Amino acid sequence: MCVVSINVPEEILLDLHEDMNDFAEYMKKMLAVDLYKNKKVSLGYCASVAEMSKEEFIKYLGMNGISIFAFASEEELLEEMENA
């Protein structure tokens, strides 16, 4: 795993009433969500970035209104339902 650092004004942490560790956890989750939403990497990699299991990450996505079920068309959805 590689380490990436960013500079954040300390005032942001004070305004949020968070310490660096809490903010780092938040940033990891938000990065993972963004990577997933934009189809940059797989669900498994995103879960790893967020330091969650796949199941936890799927639940986290759901809590943020993001479905793991994305179909290009209604036809594709119906085909998938028939195959289930």
Side-chain angles (χ1 to χ4, degrees):
M1 189 156 298
C2 96
V3 175
V4 176
S5 64
I6 61 170
N7 294 319
V8 177
E10 199 170 322
E11 292 80 13
I12 290 176
L13 298 177
L14 294 172
D15 287 347
L16 295 172
H17 304 289
E18 291 190 7
D19 64 24
M20 285 191 304
N21 292 330
D22 291 338
F23 189 71
E25 292 300 314
Y26 171 78
M27 292 300 296
K28 286 183 229 177
K29 289 176 182 175
M30 289 302 99
L31 173 60
V33 166
D34 185 70
L35 291 171
Y36 184 77
K37 277 178 35 176
N38 291 299
K39 298 177 178 25
K40 299 287 185 178
V41 294
S42 71
L43 180 94
Y45 280 139
C46 291
S48 179
V49 168
E51 296 183 345
M52 303 170 126
S53 69
K54 285 183 186 177
E55 293 80 15
E56 291 171 324
F57 188 65
I58 290 168
K59 287 179 186 175
Y60 187 77
L61 289 170
M63 290 180 350
N64 286 281
I66 301 164
S67 175
I68 62 166
F69 303 105
F71 300 98
S73 66
E74 184 178 339
E75 199 173 277
E76 186 179 332
L77 170 62
L78 293 173
E79 181 180 319
E80 187 66 27
M81 289 176 66
E82 287 177 16
N83 293 331

